[in-house]
Amino acid sequence: MARNLRVGVQRGLRQSIGGGLGTGDIFTLSPASFDFSRTKTKDSRITFTRASSGTFVGADGLIKSAATNTPRFDHSATGESLGLLMEEARTNLLNSNYTTSLGTGGASLSEVTSITNPDGTTGTVKVTAIANNSRHEVQKTSSAPSTNHTHSVFVKKGNHRYVGLSQGGASNNIHMIFDFDTKTITDTGSKNSGTYVSSGFEEYANGWFRLHLVGTTTGTVLRAFMAEDDQQDGLVDWAATGNEFFYVWGAQKEAGTFPTSFISSTSTATRAADIVDITGTNFSSFYNQSAGTVFAEYKHAYIDTTSSNLYVFNADADNRILSLARSDRQYLGLVEKAGVHEAEISKNTGWVNNQHYKTAFGVANNNVAMFLDGAQQGSTDTSVTLPTVNTLTIGRKPDSNNRFINGHIKRLSYFPTRLPDATLQSITS
């Protein structure tokens, strides 16, 4: 079966080179091509599990919930299809709901039903400043994070330009300030025992933004507050007129150095990891042990302190062909046989989080090369012996370390032949 597939691909490739097929048509020759951003369905050969529900953004830009063991085909706020969303397990350590009974500082809270929330529901909490010299904030009690945690909140502009997010009090915190008008983070930092690591934001439908803040502090209160200007130092008091306001929704606190998809919680809740494998005859029916090419279009949302795996063709931890991004900017492609690294191909430049990449990894005995966005990475390795493998793992490393992609896979295609370098360059351009 694999030989017939290989011969067919080679025949089609000759047609392509001779002008019979376009570059894009080469993908029709792949016996295992998963175009997740277009089909938005799970191929029957794929085994998918996730031991909980999970959220994603639908084509309408609103947050949806996928049931247990159901893959998530995610979208941007504008409806662009991003592909298969795959994440590690995370727990929201907060009650995600905002109510009018929460603690405040220099503010009053009210419920507004005319505003559409990020998930399409209504019933939004409006935070209005009181005309005094205070911090003008809404509060959630949150235990002090002694290790790096990510705090996130959805905010929507009312009539005030600057809103901040902080964990901790005025004298002891990590914080950031966001400018609604320019859609930029204008101020970040920490006070006393706080250690600021990073911050960021994502834009959602209907004018909502999800702010996130990463770090540690002995402070115990998560605060969403109105800032006086773009360089306010943390939670400095300022005199409001009493008319300033903004909207808030969906709090989350999770252990780790980057945010993951929203986890709705009434106390705490865990989203399990996304697990994708192809095994048995579903794998052997398309795989060629002697040569092959893997194409992938994908985006790592965040590369954590170790590495982020895109795919692994493997038999065990010592016999595998994989593509990954390491936090030290090494290893784009790796071939390992009997515990020996037969080929290691490093990316020529640093990784960029939340950037789409196209890669093609061509492997054969004594002929291994990797192309990224139209450029060869490193040089062709001409001293390689391929391992025998029996499983394709997508979006993670298949061991206790896991090392998830924590991002999106738009397309993954396998060809049971080593495509020429010119073709690898063409399909990744």
Side-chain angles (χ1 to χ4, degrees):
M1 178 65 174
R3 180 182 182 279
N4 292 336
L5 287 171
R6 183 168 65 256
V7 171
V9 171
Q10 291 168 338
R11 183 182 299 117
L13 182 59
R14 286 194 297 271
Q15 289 178 319
S16 178
I17 294 172
L21 290 173
T23 299
D25 295 319
I26 290 177
F27 291 104
T28 65
L29 303 173
S30 167
S33 188
F34 312 111
D35 192 347
F36 296 121
S37 66
R38 184 178 63 85
T39 63
K40 303 180 188 179
T41 58
K42 182 182 76 69
D43 188 282
S44 61
R45 292 168 291 184
I46 291 176
T47 299
F48 178 91
T49 60
R50 187 186 57 252
S52 73
S53 61
T55 65
F56 65 100
V57 177
D60 59 1
L62 299 176
I63 295 174
K64 315 288 186 183
S65 182
T68 299
N69 295 330
T70 303
R72 298 175 290 165
F73 299 98
D74 205 21
H75 300 77
S76 70
T78 60
E80 177 193 359
S81 181
L82 301 177
L84 179 65
L85 173 61
M86 297 197 64
E87 298 177 300
E88 63 190 61
R90 285 288 183 90
T91 298
N92 186 356
L93 301 169
L94 289 175
N95 180 332
S96 61
N97 299 316
Y98 277 92
T99 68
T100 57
S101 62
L102 289 172
T104 61
S108 63
L109 306 180
S110 59
E111 184 175 349
V112 178
T113 59
S114 60
I115 300 295
T116 301
N117 293 326
D119 65 348
T121 62
T122 58
T124 304
V125 169
K126 178 182 178 181
V127 184
T128 303
I130 295 173
N132 63 14
N133 190 335
S134 187
R135 294 195 294 264
H136 315 296
E137 65 189 16
V138 60
Q139 306 168 356
K140 271 187 169 292
T141 301
S142 173
S143 60
S146 59
T147 60
N148 284 329
H149 279 61
T150 299
H151 312 79
S152 58
V153 173
F154 291 84
V155 295
K156 178 180 171 70
K157 185 180 180 181
N159 63 0
H160 191 68
R161 180 171 178 174
Y162 302 104
V163 65
L165 183 63
S166 173
Q167 171 75 27
S171 62
N172 179 32
N173 67 61
I174 53 175
H175 62 266
M176 56 93 79
I177 294 175
F178 177 73
D179 183 341
F180 281 114
D181 291 358
T182 61
K183 300 180 183 180
T184 57
I185 294 171
T186 62
D187 189 30
T188 61
S190 59
K191 300 278 279 187
N192 294 330
S193 69
T195 301
Y196 170 87
V197 173
S198 65
S199 59
F201 69 92
E202 293 177 277
E203 189 168 1
Y204 282 73
N206 300 312
W208 286 96
F209 294 85
R210 189 188 191 195
L211 310 183
H212 74 262
L213 175 66
V214 182
T216 63
T217 176
T218 58
T220 59
V221 179
L222 176 65
R223 306 168 190 266
F225 61 95
M226 280 176 273
E228 182 178 15
D229 55 38
D230 62 344
Q231 292 297 318
Q232 182 175 330
D233 187 15
L235 298 175
V236 174
D237 296 345
W238 62 279
T241 65
N243 296 314
E244 300 90 343
F245 69 92
F246 73 103
Y247 304 101
V248 65
W249 186 87
Q252 187 156 312
K253 176 185 176 183
E254 51 191 316
T257 59
F258 56 89
T260 62
S261 58
F262 177 63
I263 304 170
S264 179
S265 170
T266 56
S267 56
T268 65
T270 298
R271 181 200 61 250
D274 299 287
I275 306 297
V276 177
D277 294 296
I278 302 178
T279 62
T281 57
N282 288 330
F283 177 81
S284 61
S285 64
F286 67 78
Y287 189 75
N288 176 21
Q289 297 287 352
S290 61
T293 301
V294 190
F295 170 88
E297 185 175 1
Y298 62 99
K299 178 179 71 173
H300 297 274
Y302 294 89
I303 299 173
D304 207 345
T305 55
T306 50
S307 62
S308 177
N309 283 69
L310 175 57
Y311 58 77
V312 186
F313 292 82
N314 66 98
D316 51 48
D318 293 329
N319 294 277
R320 53 195 180 142
I321 300 169
L322 59 90
S323 177
L324 59 81
R326 263 180 31 182
S327 58
D328 59 4
R329 312 307 191 192
Q330 297 298 309
Y331 292 171
L332 185 65
L334 175 67
V335 177
E336 184 175 7
K337 179 179 174 65
V340 176
H341 286 196
E342 296 279 336
E344 300 175 359
I345 299 178
S346 297
K347 187 175 183 295
N348 291 339
T349 58
W351 298 100
V352 179
N353 289 332
N354 282 305
Q355 177 173 309
H356 275 102
Y357 292 99
K358 292 181 180 179
T359 65
F361 197 16
V363 297
N365 289 325
N366 302 323
N367 185 8
V368 171
M370 173 74 82
F371 280 74
L372 175 72
D373 293 344
Q376 184 169 3
Q377 306 298 297
S379 58
T380 301
D381 195 320
T382 58
S383 180
V384 179
T385 303
L386 298 184
T388 298
V389 298
N390 56 26
T391 298
L392 169 58
T393 297
I394 301 174
R396 77 184 202 284
K397 186 179 180 183
D399 60 20
S400 59
N401 293 321
N402 286 319
R403 296 179 182 174
F404 286 80
I405 184 174
N406 289 309
H408 301 90
I409 300 176
K410 294 189 72 172
R411 183 179 221 168
L412 183 67
S413 299
Y414 175 79
F415 301 86
T417 189
R418 165 64 161 93
L419 297 178
D421 287 353
T423 304
L424 303 188
Q425 181 180 33
S426 178
I427 63 178
T428 59
S429 296

